[in-house]
Amino acid sequence: MTHLPYIVAAYGLTLGVAAILSVNATLRLRQARKRLAAIEQPRTRQPS
């Protein structure tokens, strides 16, 4: 009896979850940077 299928499945699941978390973190970081850039833009005042 071999344990190879279980080991391959465990490694595959681990790598899959790590990839999903990495992509999610990258997308959230991009979104946060865009929001920060929008907040930090200097506003021009209208003369009164």
Side-chain angles (χ1 to χ4, degrees):
M1 185 162 99
T2 180
H3 299 293
L4 187 61
Y6 173 78
I7 294 169
V8 170
Y11 273 103
L13 185 60
T14 301
L15 292 175
V17 169
I20 289 170
L21 291 175
S22 297
V23 169
N24 187 20
T26 302
L27 294 176
R28 289 181 62 187
L29 181 61
R30 281 188 192 169
Q31 183 181 16
R33 284 183 176 161
K34 286 180 185 177
R35 293 170 90 187
L36 181 61
I39 291 170
E40 288 184 341
Q41 281 183 347
R43 295 184 181 188
T44 58
R45 293 189 174 194
Q46 299 291 333
S48 36

